[in-house]
Amino acid sequence: MLKTFPITAEVNHHHSDKQKSGKASRWAQICFVLLAICLLIFFRNTPQFNTMGITFISIVLEAFPFMLIGTLVGGFIEVFVPQEKITRWLPEGRFMTVFTAAGLGIFFPVCECAVVPVVRRLLNKGVPLSAAVAFLLGGPIVNPVVAASTAVAYFFDWSIVVNRLAFGYFIAVAAGLLMSAFFTKTQAIRPDTLENQRFFVHADSAESGVNTSLRKKIGLAVNHAANDFFDIGRFLVIGAFLAASIQLLAPRYLFSPIASTPVSSISIMMVMAIVLNLCSEADAFVAASLQWTLVPISAQLAFMILGPMLDIKLLLMYGRIFRNRAIIVLSAITFLLVFLSMIFRDFMIK
Amino acid sequence: MKEKVKNTLAVFSVCLPAITFIVWIAAYCWLLNGDRYKAFMQPKLRPMLILALLLLLIFVMALISQLSRKKKETNITDVWLRTAILFVPALFLWTVYGQSLGAYALSKKTFDADEIFSIPQTQPEQLSIMDSSVKSASLLDLLKNSDEFEGTHVATEGMVFRSNTIAENTFKIFRFAIICCAADALPLWILVNSEESQNLENETWVKVEGIFKIKKINGRQIPHIDAEAVQPITTPAPEKQYLFFY
């Protein structure tokens, strides 16, 4: 049986908020489609359009498989893992939960595109906000695939690998703890996502119960995954489009740090990480290509640590999990933590 | 009548996710056929593309099996909008395939503006040639193993880049090397000194034969080829234009 929830004043408030942001978001999406069609009609066959188009499609093609895997894992978590089990698996105590979650990527290597739908489902299964944020930020860095790609890019300079993973881990832990200090779960997570999910859980619970056959359960999980992909996929597309456009408008050499000072080089490399939207398995190679320049190692690390945590496509995808205020705070916290820790590293090394 | 149209749209909207995924299945099949995907990404990612194709097939089957049980879509605009957005990259793919990153992208994807501009004229040097046989190598191989190739007779292929700031009898031969996908493409180039290159336009594909040498210009090590022959060649197929790390 489908259970309904009591409509409280808070829910009404959320509902009007949702309608307002929903309308704005819808108009933004309509503008995106119209802009893309105009570009296709009026600018095709220009070098600018080709460069932007190739970059845009490449990001989408590269990210789609990982996102499909992420939504599938999320779907299976939704149907096969009961809430009580997840609560039981989590270590007791807020700190332990966050420290564990930030390092989960070692066992579940996920990239930044795959982790979003998984975290979305985990939040609905009772995972605390702090742990969810720690996994969201730490998972795409603290994992063996990223460690290997960083090692290869830097010719097996293990100090770079250790620095990247260690700073990534501690920044994820700190961001998780800070987010839970600033927000409660209901304050940070989109109300409509939670409400929809609750309805889903209840509606599905009849089907996903003990008596339901395994085949039906799998069907249900895949159906959840397909709907998730259909929902979140559009934000990946818009993010990739924006990233490709910015790459076109702001050439790489503009970011090339005149940078003799750590502050400017670290800041510039962090902005570049947000703009370029590279996969966490590829960014080490781009960073390593700067080794011969004046860009200090701390700035290269800032690029490799911030990129998988925060970039344009991720910001849009976070919009399917968090409220706008939470996204702003999360972005600010992440940016500041990466910046300060890299300045600190640079200072200590000198 | 209006109600009827609305009803039909609502019923059709239920099928839109499956239709969108079918379009993407077609796109992945097309990309995998004849290795067209190499015009956008690294060959080592082929298994991921196959996996994506399989997952999309499974998603479509799951969606179709649930169609009869699914209620009419209430939020028709939203569903159509999602479909339209997910169609955009497919449309771009169809439009852009056949093109590749060229001189314009070179100017955007270079990290150091000095790399593109202000390249002074250099005189061909008298070299002691260690190996007289011509070694064919890609730009990536030449740059990766520059010590090994220095002073040898090499042949390589790439596109021409000239600008007002590069001396008249000099041009850059360049190609892009991909790590994962074209978004992370890094431009690779070597300066070519040649008297025969005056009439070559930007982005013309050429084969250059000559002596490979690393020269110091403005305090920086710049790879050079003192060319003996520069021959225009047919533009390779889009999937063969990039070089790949690994």
Side-chain angles (χ1 to χ4, degrees):
Chain A
M1 271 272 288
L2 185 80
K3 271 190 191 176
T4 52
F5 291 91
I7 297 173
T8 60
E10 196 192 1
V11 171
N12 275 332
H13 176 67
H14 288 165
H15 191 67
S16 68
D17 265 7
K18 190 180 94 182
Q19 275 186 330
K20 268 187 213 164
S21 67
K23 253 187 184 172
S25 158
R26 186 177 292 173
W27 275 109
Q29 290 171 49
I30 291 172
C31 287
F32 163 75
V33 174
L34 292 176
L35 174 71
I37 292 170
C38 285
L39 287 177
L40 266 172
I41 295 171
F42 298 113
F43 293 97
R44 59 188 296 180
N45 294 330
T46 60
Q48 290 86 344
F49 177 84
N50 289 337
T51 306
M52 189 278 239
I54 290 169
T55 311
F56 166 52
I57 295 163
S58 303
I59 298 175
V60 172
L61 287 178
E62 190 196 13
F64 262 14
F66 295 101
M67 214 178 148
L68 283 162
I69 296 168
T71 50
L72 192 69
V73 172
F76 273 83
I77 289 174
E78 181 63 40
V79 174
F80 283 92
V81 187
Q83 191 164 333
E84 315 83 63
K85 226 171 212 175
I86 288 203
T87 323
R88 216 183 314 141
W89 286 342
L90 291 172
E92 276 184 39
R94 193 170 66 152
F95 286 93
M96 272 312 287
T97 315
V98 179
F99 276 98
T100 309
L104 275 181
I106 293 173
F107 307 104
F108 306 106
V110 278
C111 75
E112 68 271 24
C113 296
V115 80
V116 175
V118 176
V119 166
R120 196 177 174 211
R121 290 289 180 189
L122 284 174
L123 276 163
N124 282 292
K125 289 286 177 180
V127 170
L129 177 67
S130 51
V133 170
F135 179 51
L136 185 71
L137 303 184
I141 297 179
V142 189
N143 78 52
V145 183
V146 170
S149 71
T150 313
V152 173
Y154 280 88
F155 300 104
F156 297 95
D157 181 345
W158 293 104
S159 68
I160 302 279
V161 180
V162 171
N163 267 286
R164 184 180 191 188
L165 267 64
F167 276 104
Y169 177 77
F170 285 111
I171 288 166
V173 168
L177 291 173
L178 283 170
M179 279 299 282
S180 68
F182 293 139
F183 297 99
T184 62
K185 195 169 171 182
T186 41
Q187 281 171 339
I189 307 301
R190 278 171 66 102
D192 60 334
T193 310
L194 277 179
E195 280 159 27
N196 285 344
Q197 301 296 321
R198 278 183 205 152
F199 278 112
F200 260 132
V201 172
H202 284 267
D204 296 344
S205 57
E207 291 186 69
S208 58
V210 198
N211 297 330
T212 316
S213 71
L214 182 69
R215 217 180 118 197
K216 261 191 177 169
K217 274 185 168 180
I218 292 174
L220 210 62
V222 177
N223 215 42
H224 273 306
N227 286 316
D228 264 3
F229 184 77
F230 190 60
D231 182 22
I232 308 178
R234 60 183 155 156
F235 295 101
L236 175 73
V237 170
I238 298 172
F241 186 88
L242 282 176
S245 309
I246 293 174
Q247 279 203 34
L248 186 81
L249 297 171
R252 284 181 189 174
Y253 64 77
L254 281 187
F255 297 104
S256 174
I258 319 144
S260 37
T261 68
V263 174
S264 59
S265 61
I266 290 171
S267 318
I268 289 167
M269 289 302 286
M270 285 172 68
V271 173
M272 214 164 114
I274 295 172
V275 166
L276 290 183
N277 290 257
L278 300 178
C279 180
S280 59
E281 281 126 39
D283 55 6
F285 296 93
V286 175
S289 71
L290 295 169
Q291 271 176 301
W292 58 270
T293 64
L294 288 173
V295 181
I297 292 290
S298 296
Q300 293 172 38
L301 278 168
F303 176 81
M304 291 189 285
I305 294 168
L306 187 68
M309 295 181 172
L310 193 72
D311 63 30
I312 295 166
K313 70 172 188 306
L314 281 175
L315 274 173
L316 287 168
M317 285 162 73
Y318 288 167
R320 295 311 292 163
I321 303 179
F322 301 108
R323 289 161 179 266
N324 291 344
R325 249 185 71 202
I327 295 176
I328 294 168
V329 174
L330 178 64
S331 309
I333 288 175
T334 312
F335 196 92
L336 271 175
L337 284 170
V338 175
F339 179 75
L340 293 175
S341 54
M342 287 305 112
I343 293 284
F344 172 73
R345 183 193 175 276
D346 206 73
F347 178 74
M348 291 308 284
I349 296 248
K350 276 172 187 163
Chain B
M1 182 67 184
K2 205 177 168 188
E3 196 58 32
K4 214 175 175 184
V5 172
K6 220 175 171 183
N7 250 341
T8 320
L9 272 178
V11 173
F12 191 59
S13 301
V14 176
C15 311
L16 281 179
I19 292 172
T20 310
F21 292 163
I22 289 169
V23 167
W24 272 101
I25 289 170
Y28 274 112
C29 286
W30 182 78
L31 281 166
L32 286 164
N33 183 25
D35 288 344
R36 290 191 181 102
Y37 70 94
K38 284 186 192 166
F40 302 99
M41 54 208 303
Q42 156 81 256
K44 288 218 166 133
L45 287 175
R46 186 186 162 91
M48 292 310 292
L49 295 187
I50 295 171
L51 182 68
L53 177 66
L54 292 175
L55 287 177
L56 282 167
L57 268 170
I58 294 169
F59 282 10
V60 168
M61 287 196 299
L63 285 172
I64 290 173
S65 70
Q66 298 280 327
L67 269 185
S68 56
R69 297 166 61 192
K70 210 169 172 184
K71 289 178 201 154
K72 262 191 286 181
E73 278 296 345
T74 45
N75 202 345
I76 303 171
T77 325
D78 200 45
V79 176
W80 279 88
L81 202 49
R82 287 180 202 189
T83 308
I85 293 171
L86 287 169
F87 266 68
V88 167
L91 281 173
F92 268 65
L93 175 64
W94 176 57
T95 316
V96 154
Y97 181 78
Q99 310 296 328
S100 71
L101 299 177
Y104 183 78
L106 177 70
S107 67
K108 295 286 173 183
K109 288 184 182 278
T110 305
F111 276 109
D112 189 348
D114 290 342
E115 277 182 13
I116 333 169
F117 308 114
S118 311
I119 303 288
Q121 186 167 359
T122 55
Q123 289 302 315
E125 287 177 27
Q126 289 300 313
L127 299 162
S128 54
I129 301 168
M130 295 165 212
D131 187 352
S132 59
S133 62
V134 180
K135 289 179 183 170
S136 281
S138 70
L139 282 176
L140 184 59
D141 289 336
L142 282 175
L143 294 170
K144 258 196 335 197
N145 309 306
S146 52
D147 289 346
E148 191 187 307
F149 283 106
E150 192 164 5
T152 58
H153 205 144
V154 297
T156 192
E157 292 175 357
M159 282 178 276
V160 171
F161 178 80
R162 322 171 59 99
S163 79
N164 297 336
T165 48
I166 299 178
E168 251 181 34
N169 60 350
T170 307
F171 68 91
K172 272 183 179 180
I173 181 167
F174 77 98
R175 279 177 90 167
F176 285 92
I178 285 177
I179 302 155
C180 278
C181 72
D184 59 45
L186 291 169
L188 306 175
W189 55 264
I190 292 177
L191 273 184
V192 179
N193 295 320
S194 165
E195 297 296 337
E196 304 171 32
S197 60
Q198 313 282 350
N199 301 323
L200 292 173
E201 284 188 12
N202 272 353
E203 295 183 12
T204 310
W205 277 83
V206 289
K207 183 177 181 177
V208 172
E209 264 185 55
I211 311 293
F212 180 74
K213 183 80 183 160
I214 303 286
K215 296 178 185 173
K216 222 171 188 177
I217 298 176
N218 299 335
R220 287 169 61 178
Q221 306 257 318
I222 306 278
H224 272 255
I225 293 177
D226 290 330
E228 287 158 8
V230 178
Q231 252 184 340
I233 55 168
T234 325
T235 304
E239 54 274 13
K240 289 183 179 160
Q241 294 193 5
Y242 299 112
L243 297 167
F244 301 101
F245 288 95
Y246 318 111

